[in-house]
Amino acid sequence: QVQLQESGPGLVKPSQTLSLTCTVSGGSITSGGYYWSWIRQHPGKGLEWIGYIYSGGSTSYNPSLKSRLTISLATSKNQFSLKLNSVTAADTAVYYCARDLWGFDYWGQGTLVTVSS
Amino acid sequence: EIVLTQSPGTLSLSPGERATLSCRASQSVASNYLAWYQQKPGQAPRLLIYGASSRATGIPDRFSGSGSGTDFTLTISRLEPEDFAVFYCQQYGLSPWTFGQGTKVEIK
C-alpha cells in the first residue's frame, strides 16, 4: 500500500522560502511512470494544483506560481520536495502531496503552513 | 486554463436519496480526463472516479460518473450517512490541472 507523508515547518515568515518534503513508502518513486504532485487548499476554500514532477525528473508547474516554484526529486530517499520563494500571507494553506496518473489516487494527510511574522 | 464550474453549490438531501452533481468545463476536456473526489472535514480528498466514468479502487458502485466534452455528472444512487461531504471535479487533460469549486452534500 502506497503511503505519502508531508513534512516541513508549519510557520514561515513573509518573503522567506516555504520548503516541504513528501516521503513515499510502499513503492519506488521512480517506477511505474507516475507523476508526483503538490496541491494546496487555502483555509475553508477549494483545491489548487501547484505542480508535479515526473518519475523521470521532468516538471510541470501552475503558471500562477511558476516564477517562485521548484519541485525536485530525491530518489535515494524516495522523496520529492517543494520550494516556494517569496511567500506572503496568501500562501497560507494546507499543502498536500499526491500520486498522480489518472487523477490523484494517493494523498498525504496534508500539512498546514502559515505565513506570518 | 480550463475553468470547471460545479453546481449546485450545496445539495440538501436525506439518506437514501439520489444525488446528482454537475461539473461544466469552459472548454472540452481532452480524452475525458476528468476525476471526482470526496473530501470530509480534516481529511485529504479521496479519488472516486477517473476518466469521467471509471470507479477508483474500493469505491462502492453507488457512485457513478458520466459525461463527455464539457459536461460531466457524478451520481450517488442512494446516499449513505458516510457520503455527506464536499465533492470536487478535476481535469487532467490540459495543464494546469484545475479543480471545480466544490459541491457540498449536506443532510437535510
Side-chain angles (χ1 to χ4, degrees):
Chain A
Q1 177 80 343
V2 174
Q3 293 185 316
L4 293 87
Q5 177 69 57
E6 305 90 352
S7 59
L11 180 65
V12 181
K13 289 183 166 49
S15 80
Q16 294 193 344
T17 297
L18 183 161
S19 296
L20 294 173
T21 296
C22 182
T23 301
V24 179
S25 58
S28 171
I29 201 169
T30 56
S31 66
Y34 294 105
Y35 299 81
W36 302 93
S37 273
W38 289 97
I39 297 143
R40 69 181 181 179
Q41 187 167 34
H42 295 103
K45 303 295 185 184
L47 298 158
E48 178 184 27
W49 176 74
I50 296 170
Y52 70 61
I53 187 161
Y54 181 57
S55 54
S58 60
T59 56
S60 179
Y61 297 156
N62 192 319
S64 67
L65 298 167
K66 187 174 183 177
S67 64
R68 300 191 289 133
L69 181 62
T70 303
I71 299 177
S72 58
L73 279 177
T75 56
S76 61
K77 298 180 181 179
N78 223 37
Q79 295 175 334
F80 64 105
S81 297
L82 163 75
K83 290 188 186 300
L84 186 65
N85 300 326
S86 305
V87 297
T88 70
D91 295 308
T92 293
V94 174
Y95 286 76
Y96 296 99
C97 58
R99 192 177 80 168
D100 178 5
L101 186 58
W102 309 112
F104 304 110
D105 60 348
Y106 289 96
W107 295 67
Q109 66 187 26
T111 187
L112 174 63
V113 179
T114 301
V115 179
S116 175
S117 55
Chain B
E1 71 176 46
I2 295 178
V3 176
L4 299 178
T5 302
Q6 293 186 240
S7 60
T10 302
L11 203 48
S12 298
L13 295 168
S14 300
E17 289 193 295
R18 181 183 189 91
T20 302
L21 288 66
S22 174
C23 176
R24 179 162 291 179
S26 60
Q27 62 189 87
S28 186
V29 176
S31 302
N32 293 332
Y33 283 164
L34 187 109
W36 289 93
Y37 301 86
Q38 176 191 50
Q39 187 178 33
K40 297 179 181 179
Q43 296 184 14
R46 176 175 71 146
L47 177 66
L48 300 174
I49 301 288
Y50 64 94
S53 60
S54 297
R55 267 187 302 278
T57 302
I59 301 303
D61 60 8
R62 64 180 182 273
F63 291 93
S64 63
S66 62
S68 64
T70 60
D71 289 300
F72 299 89
T73 301
L74 174 70
T75 302
I76 311 171
S77 58
R78 289 179 57 85
L79 282 163
E80 297 288 339
E82 63 269 25
D83 296 340
F84 292 89
V86 179
F87 293 83
Y88 295 95
C89 58
Q90 177 242 337
Q91 67 81 24
Y92 51 99
L94 180 68
S95 185
W97 307 161
T98 51
F99 291 88
Q101 82 279 18
T103 290
K104 182 178 182 180
V105 179
E106 65 177 22
I107 299 176
K108 187 174 182 180

